[in-house]
Amino acid sequence: MAQSTHDLSEEQWAALAAEWRGCAYCGASDRPLQRDCVQPISRGGRYTLGNVVPACGSCNASKSNDEVTSWLRRKKLDERAFLLRHHEIGVLLAARFPVVDASLG
């Protein structure tokens, strides 16, 4: 994990949690949320704005390092709704938090 770039700021995490308004997978909003990598670290994912979603502890532990769409299907969760919402929030927050290319400075 130390070899990968992880650049999710606290401000970005707060924005993600606010936009999702609960667990990105099951929708639970009555429990603490954890940062979950849609593409797990073990599969090349990183803690970045486009790869992290808020997840309840139950979903985060259950998903573990599984591929998200097969896990959603196995749990009988709405795969299409998750993917659409993930895309919508990604577009919204990408505009709010543009990527700064340090090599241009």
Side-chain angles (χ1 to χ4, degrees):
M1 188 161 130
Q3 296 173 352
S4 299
T5 302
H6 303 282
D7 63 1
L8 184 72
S9 71
E10 289 301 318
E11 183 182 12
Q12 290 170 331
W13 167 245
L16 278 167
E19 289 299 326
W20 280 99
R21 290 178 246 124
C23 177
Y25 303 123
C26 73
S29 60
D30 61 343
R31 56 197 75 154
L33 299 173
Q34 304 169 353
R35 292 166 175 85
D36 182 57
C37 289
V38 175
Q39 180 179 353
I41 300 291
S42 64
R43 296 175 184 252
R46 300 177 301 132
Y47 283 97
T48 60
L49 184 61
N51 192 48
V52 171
V53 295
C56 68
S58 178
C59 284
N60 196 7
S62 173
K63 180 179 161 283
S64 184
N65 68 342
D66 288 347
E67 190 277 325
V68 69
T69 55
S70 60
W71 175 79
L72 287 164
R73 281 184 227 129
R74 192 169 57 253
K75 297 296 283 184
K76 298 186 179 1
L77 296 169
D78 193 337
E79 174 188 0
R80 185 174 191 278
F82 168 78
L83 293 172
L84 286 172
R85 187 74 178 129
H86 185 254
H87 175 73
E88 290 168 356
I89 290 173
V91 169
L92 178 72
L93 295 183
R96 183 170 163 192
F97 299 101
V99 175
V100 177
D101 188 344
S103 67
L104 298 177

